[in-house]
Amino acid sequence: MVSTSEQWSPNNYVTHASYVPVLTSRVVSLLAPTSADHILDLGAGDGILSIAIASQAASVHCTDGSPHMVEYARARITEGKIANVTTEVVDGGTEVKAMFPVGKYNKVFSNAAYHWIFGSLPSNEARAKALQDVYDILPQGGEFVVECGGHGNIGEILVALVSVVKSAWAKKGVVKTYAEIKEKLWPWYFATNDEIEEWLKAAGFKIELLEREYRPTTLNNGDIGMKGWIDTFGFTFWEGLNEEEKDASIAEAVELLRGADWLEREGQWVAGYVRCRFKAIKE
């Protein structure tokens, strides 16, 4: 179980991950916001997608576990004088039921966050409870719409990161096993569709749609795109290493990935994203 709430960099996110709120047409179409909807957005990151959704909704409450990201989102909302978007620091895995009364929001939405939320929780029982908590705060007929990393997501990047971490520690005379790296440094849990289905049904949801999509995703910033991705999302892997060891490890990971994710002709990096998407209803 890895804590990441204090480690997010809004500047890195905006520079290297601006595609995240852009590649959302499918999940936003499932949300189908209307002027009658009061929407809770869990893991809203920089708030850009929350702001876009708010143009079609009655209100959006933009939440994230990172105070830095919420501060960034709040500044964008204030700058744009957007009256129907509010912000709050909320841990989407443990605080939802405690923070929000039943029926305050008729739709709960999340994009690109639940693999982080699941990764912060210690067991599948805790992950199931996180979905149960969402069910409990929705009114009858309320909707739960999510896109997140699914099983197999960024598989090649994970192999490279684990490899270089093991190598960096071996140079220090320390043996790190795969199991230890996954438990202590790996910040995500990429659930299978079967797991998601089981957890949603156990909570009481009717599943309207559950799908898995392999979606290779072009990274920002040309040749430095993979380094930027690792800096932005892979920051937990370097715990216990100094800056020199971290930089050498990232450079090694980038070189390992050139054979899999570098498009020479286009001069761009592509990451092997696998997306899990679902829409579930509280009947």
Side-chain angles (χ1 to χ4, degrees), residues 23-24 26-27 109-115 145-149 213 215 275-278:
L23 299 175
T24 55
R26 174 63 171 158
V27 72
F109 174 75
S110 184
N111 177 61
Y114 258 93
H115 48 278
V145 178
V146 170
E147 179 174 314
C148 61
E213 177 191 3
R215 192 194 69 195
R275 312 318 282 168
C276 172
R277 244 175 254 112
F278 64 81

mmCIF file of all heavy atoms in Angstrom, residues 23-24 26-27 109-115 145-149 213 215 275-278:
data_model
loop_
_atom_site.group_PDB
_atom_site.id
_atom_site.type_symbol
_atom_site.label_atom_id
_atom_site.label_comp_id
_atom_site.label_asym_id
_atom_site.label_seq_id
_atom_site.Cartn_x
_atom_site.Cartn_y
_atom_site.Cartn_z
ATOM 1 N N LEU A 23 -8.770 12.504 -23.625
ATOM 2 C CA LEU A 23 -9.197 11.214 -24.181
ATOM 3 C C LEU A 23 -10.354 10.634 -23.369
ATOM 4 O O LEU A 23 -10.297 9.521 -22.854
ATOM 5 C CB LEU A 23 -8.007 10.244 -24.199
ATOM 6 C CG LEU A 23 -6.811 10.673 -25.041
ATOM 7 C CD1 LEU A 23 -5.655 9.693 -24.881
ATOM 8 C CD2 LEU A 23 -7.199 10.808 -26.514
ATOM 9 N N THR A 24 -11.429 11.394 -23.289
ATOM 10 C CA THR A 24 -12.520 11.023 -22.385
ATOM 11 C C THR A 24 -13.888 11.007 -23.055
ATOM 12 O O THR A 24 -14.906 10.941 -22.371
ATOM 13 C CB THR A 24 -12.573 12.005 -21.197
ATOM 14 O OG1 THR A 24 -12.683 13.343 -21.697
ATOM 15 C CG2 THR A 24 -11.337 11.886 -20.319
ATOM 16 N N ARG A 26 -15.578 8.794 -24.622
ATOM 17 C CA ARG A 26 -16.401 7.615 -24.347
ATOM 18 C C ARG A 26 -16.981 7.655 -22.940
ATOM 19 O O ARG A 26 -18.179 7.453 -22.739
ATOM 20 C CB ARG A 26 -15.553 6.351 -24.553
ATOM 21 C CG ARG A 26 -16.234 5.049 -24.168
ATOM 22 C CD ARG A 26 -17.455 4.754 -25.004
ATOM 23 N NE ARG A 26 -17.949 3.404 -24.746
ATOM 24 C CZ ARG A 26 -19.199 3.014 -24.996
ATOM 25 N NH1 ARG A 26 -20.075 3.872 -25.504
ATOM 26 N NH2 ARG A 26 -19.577 1.777 -24.746
ATOM 27 N N VAL A 27 -16.142 7.912 -21.937
ATOM 28 C CA VAL A 27 -16.638 7.875 -20.558
ATOM 29 C C VAL A 27 -17.564 9.060 -20.278
ATOM 30 O O VAL A 27 -18.554 8.915 -19.547
ATOM 31 C CB VAL A 27 -15.481 7.800 -19.546
ATOM 32 C CG1 VAL A 27 -14.702 9.107 -19.442
ATOM 33 C CG2 VAL A 27 -15.990 7.358 -18.176
ATOM 34 N N PHE A 109 -18.703 10.164 -10.551
ATOM 35 C CA PHE A 109 -17.900 10.020 -11.761
ATOM 36 C C PHE A 109 -16.429 9.926 -11.390
ATOM 37 O O PHE A 109 -15.977 10.516 -10.401
ATOM 38 C CB PHE A 109 -18.127 11.244 -12.663
ATOM 39 C CG PHE A 109 -17.245 11.305 -13.883
ATOM 40 C CD1 PHE A 109 -17.490 10.475 -14.964
ATOM 41 C CD2 PHE A 109 -16.181 12.193 -13.948
ATOM 42 C CE1 PHE A 109 -16.691 10.534 -16.100
ATOM 43 C CE2 PHE A 109 -15.376 12.254 -15.069
ATOM 44 C CZ PHE A 109 -15.635 11.424 -16.152
ATOM 45 N N SER A 110 -15.673 9.190 -12.172
ATOM 46 C CA SER A 110 -14.224 9.166 -11.968
ATOM 47 C C SER A 110 -13.537 8.777 -13.264
ATOM 48 O O SER A 110 -13.946 7.828 -13.941
ATOM 49 C CB SER A 110 -13.850 8.166 -10.872
ATOM 50 O OG SER A 110 -12.460 8.213 -10.617
ATOM 51 N N ASN A 111 -12.484 9.522 -13.601
ATOM 52 C CA ASN A 111 -11.671 9.207 -14.776
ATOM 53 C C ASN A 111 -10.202 9.084 -14.373
ATOM 54 O O ASN A 111 -9.650 9.990 -13.735
ATOM 55 C CB ASN A 111 -11.810 10.308 -15.839
ATOM 56 C CG ASN A 111 -10.919 10.033 -17.040
ATOM 57 O OD1 ASN A 111 -11.060 9.025 -17.718
ATOM 58 N ND2 ASN A 111 -9.973 10.933 -17.296
ATOM 59 N N ALA A 112 -9.592 7.958 -14.716
ATOM 60 C CA ALA A 112 -8.146 7.741 -14.536
ATOM 61 C C ALA A 112 -7.704 7.854 -13.094
ATOM 62 O O ALA A 112 -6.586 8.303 -12.811
ATOM 63 C CB ALA A 112 -7.347 8.717 -15.412
ATOM 64 N N ALA A 113 -8.565 7.458 -12.154
ATOM 65 C CA ALA A 113 -8.203 7.564 -10.743
ATOM 66 C C ALA A 113 -8.373 6.266 -9.969
ATOM 67 O O ALA A 113 -7.655 6.046 -8.990
ATOM 68 C CB ALA A 113 -9.031 8.657 -10.071
ATOM 69 N N TYR A 114 -9.304 5.401 -10.369
ATOM 70 C CA TYR A 114 -9.599 4.260 -9.507
ATOM 71 C C TYR A 114 -8.456 3.252 -9.425
ATOM 72 O O TYR A 114 -8.338 2.524 -8.435
ATOM 73 C CB TYR A 114 -10.917 3.584 -9.894
ATOM 74 C CG TYR A 114 -12.014 3.997 -8.933
ATOM 75 C CD1 TYR A 114 -12.835 5.074 -9.229
ATOM 76 C CD2 TYR A 114 -12.189 3.355 -7.713
ATOM 77 C CE1 TYR A 114 -13.816 5.494 -8.339
ATOM 78 C CE2 TYR A 114 -13.160 3.763 -6.817
ATOM 79 C CZ TYR A 114 -13.972 4.827 -7.133
ATOM 80 O OH TYR A 114 -14.926 5.244 -6.241
ATOM 81 N N HIS A 115 -7.571 3.194 -10.421
ATOM 82 C CA HIS A 115 -6.411 2.308 -10.264
ATOM 83 C C HIS A 115 -5.465 2.839 -9.180
ATOM 84 O O HIS A 115 -4.771 2.055 -8.528
ATOM 85 C CB HIS A 115 -5.676 2.099 -11.593
ATOM 86 C CG HIS A 115 -5.378 3.341 -12.360
ATOM 87 N ND1 HIS A 115 -6.303 3.966 -13.164
ATOM 88 C CD2 HIS A 115 -4.246 4.082 -12.454
ATOM 89 C CE1 HIS A 115 -5.767 5.031 -13.728
ATOM 90 N NE2 HIS A 115 -4.505 5.125 -13.309
ATOM 91 N N VAL A 145 -20.211 6.173 -12.804
ATOM 92 C CA VAL A 145 -19.565 6.070 -14.117
ATOM 93 C C VAL A 145 -18.061 6.239 -13.947
ATOM 94 O O VAL A 145 -17.610 7.260 -13.406
ATOM 95 C CB VAL A 145 -20.129 7.117 -15.087
ATOM 96 C CG1 VAL A 145 -19.420 7.027 -16.439
ATOM 97 C CG2 VAL A 145 -21.634 6.955 -15.266
ATOM 98 N N VAL A 146 -17.301 5.255 -14.423
ATOM 99 C CA VAL A 146 -15.858 5.231 -14.154
ATOM 100 C C VAL A 146 -15.085 4.782 -15.384
ATOM 101 O O VAL A 146 -15.526 3.879 -16.119
ATOM 102 C CB VAL A 146 -15.546 4.278 -12.983
ATOM 103 C CG1 VAL A 146 -14.043 4.042 -12.835
ATOM 104 C CG2 VAL A 146 -16.122 4.815 -11.677
ATOM 105 N N GLU A 147 -13.936 5.398 -15.597
ATOM 106 C CA GLU A 147 -12.892 4.832 -16.454
ATOM 107 C C GLU A 147 -11.607 4.793 -15.644
ATOM 108 O O GLU A 147 -11.259 5.769 -14.976
ATOM 109 C CB GLU A 147 -12.680 5.640 -17.730
ATOM 110 C CG GLU A 147 -11.573 5.062 -18.604
ATOM 111 C CD GLU A 147 -11.417 5.741 -19.954
ATOM 112 O OE1 GLU A 147 -12.440 5.971 -20.632
ATOM 113 O OE2 GLU A 147 -10.266 6.041 -20.317
ATOM 114 N N CYS A 148 -10.899 3.657 -15.709
ATOM 115 C CA CYS A 148 -9.631 3.537 -14.989
ATOM 116 C C CYS A 148 -8.745 2.532 -15.712
ATOM 117 O O CYS A 148 -9.175 1.872 -16.658
ATOM 118 C CB CYS A 148 -9.872 3.089 -13.541
ATOM 119 S SG CYS A 148 -10.673 1.484 -13.355
ATOM 120 N N GLY A 149 -7.506 2.435 -15.257
ATOM 121 C CA GLY A 149 -6.610 1.439 -15.815
ATOM 122 C C GLY A 149 -7.095 0.040 -15.455
ATOM 123 O O GLY A 149 -7.399 -0.241 -14.297
ATOM 124 N N GLU A 213 -10.839 -1.936 -22.964
ATOM 125 C CA GLU A 213 -10.324 -1.478 -24.255
ATOM 126 C C GLU A 213 -8.809 -1.347 -24.196
ATOM 127 O O GLU A 213 -8.265 -0.714 -23.279
ATOM 128 C CB GLU A 213 -10.925 -0.115 -24.618
ATOM 129 C CG GLU A 213 -10.379 0.467 -25.915
ATOM 130 C CD GLU A 213 -10.768 1.911 -26.134
ATOM 131 O OE1 GLU A 213 -11.421 2.496 -25.245
ATOM 132 O OE2 GLU A 213 -10.397 2.464 -27.191
ATOM 133 N N ARG A 215 -5.965 0.605 -25.547
ATOM 134 C CA ARG A 215 -5.909 1.917 -26.182
ATOM 135 C C ARG A 215 -4.494 2.474 -26.114
ATOM 136 O O ARG A 215 -4.143 3.236 -25.209
ATOM 137 C CB ARG A 215 -6.874 2.882 -25.480
ATOM 138 C CG ARG A 215 -7.089 4.196 -26.252
ATOM 139 C CD ARG A 215 -7.767 5.231 -25.367
ATOM 140 N NE ARG A 215 -6.874 5.691 -24.313
ATOM 141 C CZ ARG A 215 -7.269 6.369 -23.234
ATOM 142 N NH1 ARG A 215 -8.535 6.617 -23.047
ATOM 143 N NH2 ARG A 215 -6.392 6.767 -22.321
ATOM 144 N N ARG A 275 -7.928 0.249 -20.752
ATOM 145 C CA ARG A 275 -8.926 0.982 -19.983
ATOM 146 C C ARG A 275 -10.101 0.076 -19.622
ATOM 147 O O ARG A 275 -10.607 -0.677 -20.467
ATOM 148 C CB ARG A 275 -9.465 2.197 -20.755
ATOM 149 C CG ARG A 275 -8.409 3.061 -21.381
ATOM 150 C CD ARG A 275 -7.205 3.300 -20.509
ATOM 151 N NE ARG A 275 -7.414 4.301 -19.469
ATOM 152 C CZ ARG A 275 -6.566 4.482 -18.468
ATOM 153 N NH1 ARG A 275 -5.477 3.721 -18.353
ATOM 154 N NH2 ARG A 275 -6.806 5.400 -17.559
ATOM 155 N N CYS A 276 -10.494 0.159 -18.365
ATOM 156 C CA CYS A 276 -11.721 -0.458 -17.886
ATOM 157 C C CYS A 276 -12.749 0.657 -17.736
ATOM 158 O O CYS A 276 -12.447 1.701 -17.153
ATOM 159 C CB CYS A 276 -11.495 -1.156 -16.550
ATOM 160 S SG CYS A 276 -13.011 -1.746 -15.771
ATOM 161 N N ARG A 277 -13.952 0.429 -18.288
ATOM 162 C CA ARG A 277 -15.008 1.429 -18.208
ATOM 163 C C ARG A 277 -16.285 0.764 -17.725
ATOM 164 O O ARG A 277 -16.618 -0.324 -18.170
ATOM 165 C CB ARG A 277 -15.265 2.012 -19.604
ATOM 166 C CG ARG A 277 -14.969 3.463 -19.755
ATOM 167 C CD ARG A 277 -15.143 3.912 -21.215
ATOM 168 N NE ARG A 277 -13.842 4.131 -21.820
ATOM 169 C CZ ARG A 277 -13.324 3.398 -22.783
ATOM 170 N NH1 ARG A 277 -13.971 2.385 -23.295
ATOM 171 N NH2 ARG A 277 -12.132 3.697 -23.250
ATOM 172 N N PHE A 278 -17.004 1.461 -16.842
ATOM 173 C CA PHE A 278 -18.292 0.907 -16.456
ATOM 174 C C PHE A 278 -19.299 2.012 -16.113
ATOM 175 O O PHE A 278 -18.931 3.126 -15.744
ATOM 176 C CB PHE A 278 -18.165 -0.070 -15.294
ATOM 177 C CG PHE A 278 -17.691 0.489 -13.981
ATOM 178 C CD1 PHE A 278 -18.559 1.145 -13.110
ATOM 179 C CD2 PHE A 278 -16.367 0.314 -13.581
ATOM 180 C CE1 PHE A 278 -18.119 1.633 -11.892
ATOM 181 C CE2 PHE A 278 -15.931 0.806 -12.345
ATOM 182 C CZ PHE A 278 -16.804 1.459 -11.503
#
